[in-house]
């Protein structure tokens, strides 16, 4: 018999690779080049967060992508090798780029001139430094930033095109793409946006599929089903279709799945800081709280800042932590407005009444080359400032000055004029309540532990005004509460740590004291915040009329501030006097009149020998780690409990089986138990058990499922069950009981073999019979069984 | 010469056996798929894991995302591809499984999907290199029950027995991440017989008594007891129906009107490796085989029953093959001989086998195709001549096939020696034509 007589459902299209039509070849080349260019463009679009108005670079980059794909596709259609295609692409793209960037100096707008090329290079260079210097997003007036990004995008496009199409290694094209994607991952806060991730992911997958399609189509003659369509078209759809489906599914899962992965600050976070902290390396201030703790604990007397002034050098602020997130104090505004450049006059502090008495003084600061700080240490309030380098911005509400550039400059020299406010306790006493907006924002305590509030209320019971309460709180911390200052303290974190500090431990350093007081004040409805800065300088040398002060890492300090309408934020000092000296004059209350030496001489040299028990502190034991280790056993226990829980059904089932299979005094019960065990096994395995039918029917149902060779065992067992149920006298011998037990064991195995292995596993770990057991008593047939159950 | 042989059909069953259950089958096939990851697939898995671990270590969720994407791509592909069915059945049809060298034959393949929808399949038919490149096809996705048919021509330049198949299948995935290979087991044998050259008729000293014309004699004088019958064919005269046989067999049988004279010929071919020079298609052995095939076809046409004897004896005889004497088709007569010639290998024996020589088989015509002859062979051949009724020898001048350095000094040719021993001998040079040599034998 020959095939010619058969139904001809398929047709044979012979399309060998060499004889493929030029059209198909060109189409595949353009498709590949287009996909590669789109992929590179999508990856470059991840940089949109770097500049304001990102269309300024993404639109030219899109045009460049089309250009690269068109030139590459066309030349490869002519079967030119990559080393010929690449220079041509570079030439065309650079011509266009030159036109785009330096159209004025080009001949006729297109022909490059030496000046034009120089201008182009210069603009790219400028753009690079702009992107590096300014914080993202770089503002609109920096026009060269986008130019640099276009140039970088060109590089990505050309390399993706070269690798994927020229060298025909599409998987490796992922490397430049990943390099491009690391920019937003490492620089921008938001990381990759969803469209960018999905776009690059799906396009990469499509690129792989397109390249693979070419390989598959050229693998052999196409055998397709329909006569009308060309072989190439059909095969392409057959490959790219599933490819797109797989790619979309994978990208979606990749987008969603990692959301479940708990991300902290990374495994190396703590270790890294400890490694660099010891031995006088660079000191970086990026997170005020953490860095304060670290620098204090290290006690390596590293000089950080020098100031020349005639004013009081104490309490130089670094940063305001005005947001309590439920566990720690953090700065609320990390984003500074692009217009608030800290150069020249700063706005008047809104809180301070302009008529407030005080003195102004000039300061000259110089940060240490080893001191890298995001915030510039300044006295409060500063009215004018001149900074020699870096991109610094100020926060309107706190007057914090922070670096907006990506690389915080060190060795900064700056001069400023600051106002030294005279605070009158009487004014504080009679102050009006704070404005609503401020009150709401500055008394927020998420997850407040009632204990804290209770203690605060107890401590301040005798006070009537905010000021009284603040004074009482400070007093409680400094003297009455029985607190001890020690750097060796290992406080817990968050609210729990706070409660522990307030109730049991009562040992801590400035961080705990300031945080606790601010939280307690907030819990009483008093606006409060924490400030990090330098307490007082370690060294003082005369410099003309002024004094040169040197601040070291040991001088870092944290203190709370309480808001009073008309006066603004007023400093308090809950940290015991062993560290801080006497409290500020205004903060001791109206009753105890202290000579107004308060501010000017409070932390004098005399009280400086504060060398608490800090020698014992192991260098590499940060509080955070203890927090972690305390949680680990809990987690381990939880996992263990979960594991155990999964074992429970299996163990229950096993115990039940053992009970049923054990010999009993009454043979009737024993046989009934064996029958129940067989039924349970059948139900476990997910086999339908004909409830309420006769024993013979059930046995027939089982026989249909599994082997007939062992039929006699089941028959004999059913016989025995019938006798046990219905006969007047039932006295089986030991051999019969034994064979009945063997029948149950054997048939359990046979039935298990008749179902998929997954069901057997399910039967073992999640036996259904545990759930359906209640139905048994209603089973009229299982009369005996219901009796024993 | 066209071979009219029923074409063969080779049906292979489904590729995969049934799995115990749908879920079990699925997990098993996914496991298969993961095992079948190519280097690219494995590299993706490794890269993805690395990126994800780095992401976790550095606390960068986006890096984890990238890693998970790269990691999942091969795994999802494996799951996706394994999910599609690979249960196929194959029918291979060859238009003729016996062809002459240089003739082409079409192999037709029919792949039927007996499972669920398939993906793109890359199929490759395993054929010996002598039949050319392996035919490759890309089969588009098939719905359940669909059949795809395709064919390819096969053309062998050299005689031989060729195994066609098995068909190998690679399940294509969109990214080249998997190498999921399957293969059918069934193969088809294609017999490529040496191309016989037409030989001129020469007067031969027949090895039979009686008529001088080498034609089968009409059966009209024999006794009725010798009657032979055959099946009734359309057009046979009803008067020729042999009723007694018809009654016995239940089908119409007719008397044969003629009976071929059983003129026998022993065709000897020397296929010892030591007797031949050169290698491959252009060796003296191939020339000898072609000559033997031509002679066999020629003599069969003349009504001879051919018995092929090779250097290591008479394989047919040892196998006990019963040759049917009454088929009228010359090609069918020659076919067993040609098939043996098609697969004739060289043998390592140094001396010609003598076991086949006996009175019953050497009574007729003897035609030998010889290569180089040694001392022992000459002794044997001189004895042999005396047995046969007529002895013809075609002696190949094997030195003309040898490469220059292997060439020995030309001694006295076999032809002369054989003629001295009473053989009718002719010499066949590399460049000479077989027809001429054959003609020379007739003189």
């Amino acid at each position: 018999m020959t095939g010619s007589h058969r139904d001809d459902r398929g047709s044979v299209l012979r399309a060998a690779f060499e004889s493929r039509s030029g059209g198909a070849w060109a189409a595949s080349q353009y498709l590949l080049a287009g996909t590669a260019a789109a992929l590179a463009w999508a990856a470059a679009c991840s940089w949109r967060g770097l500049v304001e108005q990102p269309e300024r670079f993404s639109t030219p980059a899109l045009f460049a992508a089309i250009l690269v794909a068109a030139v590459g596709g066309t030349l490869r259609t002519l079967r030119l090798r990559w080393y010929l295609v690449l220079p041509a692409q570079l030439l065309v793209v650079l011509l266009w780029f030159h036109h785009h960037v330096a159209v004025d100096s080009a001949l006729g707008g297109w022909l490059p001139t030496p000046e034009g090329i120089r201008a182009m290079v210069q603009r790219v260079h400028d753009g690079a430094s702009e992107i590096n210097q300014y914080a993202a997003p770089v503002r609109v007036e920096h026009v060269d930033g986008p130019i640099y990004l276009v140039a970088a995008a060109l590089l990505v496009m050309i390399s993706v095109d070269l690798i994927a199409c020229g060298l025909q290694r599409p998987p490796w094209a992922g490397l430049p793409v990943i390099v491009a994607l690391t920019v937003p991952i490492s620089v921008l806060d938001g990381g990759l946006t969803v469209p960018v991730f999905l776009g690059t992911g799906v396009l990469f997958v499509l690129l792989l599929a397109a390249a693979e399609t070419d390989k598959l189509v050229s693998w052999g003659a196409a055998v397709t089903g329909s006569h009308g369509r060309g072989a190439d078209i059909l095969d392409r759809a057959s490959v790219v279709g599933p490819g797109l489906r797989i790619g979309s599914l994978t990208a979606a899962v990749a987008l969603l799945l990692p959301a479940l992965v708990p991300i902290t600050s990374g495994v190396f976070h703590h270790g890294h800081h400890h490694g660099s902290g010891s031995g006088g390396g660079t000191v970086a201030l990026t997170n005020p709280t953490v860095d304060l703790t670290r620098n204090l604990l290290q006690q390596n007397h590293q000089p950080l800042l020098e100031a020349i002034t005639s004013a009081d050098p104490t309490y130089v602020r670094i940063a305001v932590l005005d947001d309590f997130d439920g566990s720690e104090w953090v700065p609320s505004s990390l984003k500074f407005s692009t217009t608030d450049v800290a150069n020249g006059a700063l706005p008047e502090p809104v809180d301070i009444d302009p008529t407030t008495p005080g003195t102004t003084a000039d300061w000259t600061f110089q940060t240490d080359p080893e001191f890298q700080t995001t915030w510039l240490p300044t006295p409060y309030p500063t009215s004018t400032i001149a900074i020699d380098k870096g991109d610094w911005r100020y926060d309107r509400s706190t007057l914090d000055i922070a670096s907006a550039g990506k690389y915080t400059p060190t060795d900064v020299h700056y001069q400023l004029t600051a106002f030294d406010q005279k605070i009158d306790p009487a004014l504080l006493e009679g102050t009006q309540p704070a404005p609503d907006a401020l009150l709401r924002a500055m008394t927020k305590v998420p997850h407040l532990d009632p204990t804290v509030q209770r203690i605060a209320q107890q401590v301040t019971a005798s006070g009537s005004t905010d000021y009284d309460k603040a004074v009482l709180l400070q007093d409680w911390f400094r003297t009455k509460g029985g607190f001890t200052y020690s750097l060796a303290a290992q406080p817990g974190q968050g609210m729990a740590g706070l409660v522990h500090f307030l109730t049991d431990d009562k040992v801590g350093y400035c961080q705990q004291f300031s945080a606790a007081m601010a939280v307690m004040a907030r819990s009483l409805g008093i606006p409060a915040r924490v400030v990090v800065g330098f307490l007082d300088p370690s060294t003082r040398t005369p410099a003309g009329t002024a004094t040169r002060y040197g601040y070291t890492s040991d001088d870092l300090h944290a203190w709370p501030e309480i808001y009073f309408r008309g006066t603004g934020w007023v400093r308090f000092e809950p940290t015991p006097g062993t560290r801080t000296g006497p409290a500020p004059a205004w903060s001791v209350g109206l009753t105890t009149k202290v000579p107004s030496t308060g501010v000017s001489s409070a932390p004098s040299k005399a009280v400086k020998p504060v060398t608490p028990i800090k020698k014992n502190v192991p260098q590499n034991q940060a509080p955070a780690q203890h927090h972690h280790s305390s949680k680990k056993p809990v987690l381990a226990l939880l996992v263990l409990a979960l594991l155990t829980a999964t074992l429970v059904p299996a163990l229950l089932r096993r115990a039940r089986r053992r009970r049923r299979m054990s010999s009993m005094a009454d043979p009737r019960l024993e046989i009934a138990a064996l029958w129940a065990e067989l039924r349970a096994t059948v139900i476990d395995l997910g086999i339908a058990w004909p409830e309420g039918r006769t024993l013979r029917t059930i046995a027939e149902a089982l026989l249909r499922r599994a082997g007939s060779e062992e039929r006699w065992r089941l028959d004999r067992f059913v016989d025995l069950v019938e006798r046990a149920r219905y006969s007047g006298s039932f006295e089986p011998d030991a051999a019969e009981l034994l064979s009945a037990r063997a029948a149950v064991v054997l048939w359990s195995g046979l039935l298990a073999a008749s179902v998929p292995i997954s069901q057997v596993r399910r039967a073992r770990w999640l036996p259904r019979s545990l759930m359906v057991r209640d139905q048994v008593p209603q089973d009229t047939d299982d009369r005996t069984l219901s009796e024993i159950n | 010469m066209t071979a009219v042989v029923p074409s063969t059909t080779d049906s292979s069953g489904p590729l995969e056996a049934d799995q115990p259950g749908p879920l079990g089958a699925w997990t098993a096939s996914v496991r298969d798929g993961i095992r079948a990851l190519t280097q690219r697939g494995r590299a993706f898995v490794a890269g993805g894991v690395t990126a994800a671990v780095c992401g976790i270590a550095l606390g960068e969720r986006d890096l984890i995302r990238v890693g998970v994407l790269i990691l999942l791509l091969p795994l999802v592909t494996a799951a996706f591809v394994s999910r599609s069915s690979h249960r196929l059945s194959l029918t291979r049809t060859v238009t003729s499984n016996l062809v002459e060298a240089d003739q082409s034959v079409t192999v037709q393949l029919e792949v039927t999907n007996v499972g669920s929808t398939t993906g793109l399949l890359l199929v490759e038919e395993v054929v010996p290199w002598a039949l050319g490149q392996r035919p490759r096809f890309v089969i588009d996705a098939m719905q359940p029950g669909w059949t795809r048919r395709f064919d390819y021509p096969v053309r062998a330049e050299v005689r031989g027995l060729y195994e066609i198949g098995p068909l190998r299948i690679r399940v294509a995935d969109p990214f080249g991440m998997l190498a999921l290979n399957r293969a059918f087991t069934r193969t088809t044998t294609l017999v490529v017989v040496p191309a016989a050259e037409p030989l001129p008729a020469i007067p031969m000293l027949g090895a039979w008594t009686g008529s001088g014309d080498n034609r089968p004699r009409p059966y009209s004088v024999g006794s009725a007891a010798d009657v032979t019958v055959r099946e009734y064919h359309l057009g046979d005269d009803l008067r020729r129906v042999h009723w007694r046989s018809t009654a016995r067999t239940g089908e119409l049988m007719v008397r044969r009107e003629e009976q071929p004279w059983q003129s026998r010929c022993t065709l000897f071919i020397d296929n010892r490796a030591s007797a031949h020079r050169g290698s491959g298609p252009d060796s003296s052995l191939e020339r000898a085989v072609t000559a033997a095939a031509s002679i066999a076809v020629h003599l069969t046409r003349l009504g001879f029953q051919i018995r092929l004897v090779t250097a290591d004896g008479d394989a047919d005889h040892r196998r006990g093959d019963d040759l049917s004497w009454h088929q009228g088709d010359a090609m069918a007569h020659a076919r067993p001989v040609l098939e043996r010639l098609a697969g004739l290998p060289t043998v390592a024996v140094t001396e010609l086998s003598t076991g086949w020589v006996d009175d019953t088989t050497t009574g007729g015509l003897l035609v030998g195709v010889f290569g180089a002859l040694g001392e022992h062979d000459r002794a044997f051949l001189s004895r042999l001549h005396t047995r046969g009724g007529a002895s013809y020898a075609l002696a190949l001048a094997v030195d003309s096939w040898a490469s220059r350095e292997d060439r020995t000094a030309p001694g006295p040719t076999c032809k002369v020696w054989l003629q001295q021993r009473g053989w009718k001998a002719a010499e066949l040079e590399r460049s000479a034509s077989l027809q001429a040599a054959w003609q020379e034998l007739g003189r």
Side-chain angles (χ1 to χ4, degrees), chain B residues 270-284:
Chain B
D270 186 359
N271 62 332
R272 293 171 302 168
S274 56
H276 288 281
R277 306 286 182 271
S279 65
D282 190 30
S283 64
S284 58

Side-chain angles (χ1 to χ4, degrees), chain B residues 12-273:
Chain B
S12 291
L15 265 180
E16 274 182 18
D18 273 358
Q19 297 284 339
L23 193 65
W26 191 79
T27 48
S29 62
V30 169
R31 221 176 299 130
D32 271 1
I34 287 171
R35 228 174 273 140
L37 285 179
T38 56
Q39 203 170 2
R40 178 187 285 188
R42 283 160 206 264
F44 266 66
V45 169
V49 168
T50 312
V53 167
C54 282
I56 291 171
L58 299 174
E60 291 289 355
R61 202 181 293 281
D62 287 320
L63 201 53
I64 303 178
R65 288 212 167 103
V66 172
V68 169
L69 176 71
I70 297 172
L71 164 68
L72 280 185
L73 195 58
L75 301 185
V76 173
T77 308
F80 213 81
V81 170
S82 324
R83 206 195 56 176
S84 69
S85 151
H86 315 127
R87 298 193 60 216
L88 304 165
S89 80
L90 169 75
T91 310
R92 183 186 292 110
T93 315
V94 185
T95 47
S96 159
N97 62 356
L98 183 88
V99 289
E100 269 189 26
D102 275 351
Q103 274 187 339
S104 71
V105 60
T106 305
V107 179
Q108 208 164 52
L109 291 166
E110 237 183 49
V111 173
T112 306
N113 180 14
V114 293
S116 53
T117 309
T118 63
L120 208 63
L121 300 173
L122 308 179
V123 303
E124 181 184 59
E125 180 89 300
V126 180
V127 296
W129 293 114
L131 295 187
Q133 278 209 317
R134 294 181 169 183
R136 290 171 156 190
F137 300 92
V138 183
I139 304 185
D140 197 21
M142 284 190 281
Q143 298 288 322
W146 281 20
T147 301
R148 299 250 191 249
R149 309 171 79 234
F150 46 99
D151 55 65
Y152 61 92
V154 160
R155 180 188 166 94
E157 312 255 316
V158 189
R159 52 118 197 162
L161 304 173
Y162 298 102
E163 289 282 299
I164 296 181
L167 191 72
R168 285 192 192 154
I169 290 191
R170 204 189 114 196
V171 184
D173 70 297
F175 311 112
M177 303 272 188
L178 294 181
L180 210 59
N181 292 309
R182 300 272 187 275
F184 290 97
T185 48
R186 205 72 71 80
T187 61
T188 307
T189 307
L190 180 69
V191 182
V192 178
V193 299
E197 296 171 35
L199 295 182
I202 53 167
M204 301 196 73
L205 301 176
W208 60 87
T209 53
S211 166
D213 197 4
N214 295 346
R215 293 185 67 80
R217 295 206 298 193
Y219 173 74
S220 50
V221 290
S223 70
D226 292 339
V227 74
T228 57
V229 291
R230 61 169 171 81
E231 276 180 42
Y232 176 85
H233 290 313
L234 207 63
D236 279 341
D237 194 341
L238 268 182
R239 282 171 298 186
R240 283 174 59 193
V241 172
H242 192 261
W243 293 109
R244 262 184 286 173
S245 302
T246 305
R248 196 169 58 246
T249 59
E251 284 185 33
L252 273 180
M253 303 299 271
V254 293
R255 277 195 318 273
R256 279 182 181 276
E257 284 293 286
E258 71 261 355
Q259 185 170 11
W261 190 266
Q262 295 180 359
S263 40
R264 294 178 180 180
C265 168
T266 302
L267 182 58
F268 178 85
I269 180 165
D270 186 359
N271 62 332
R272 293 171 302 168

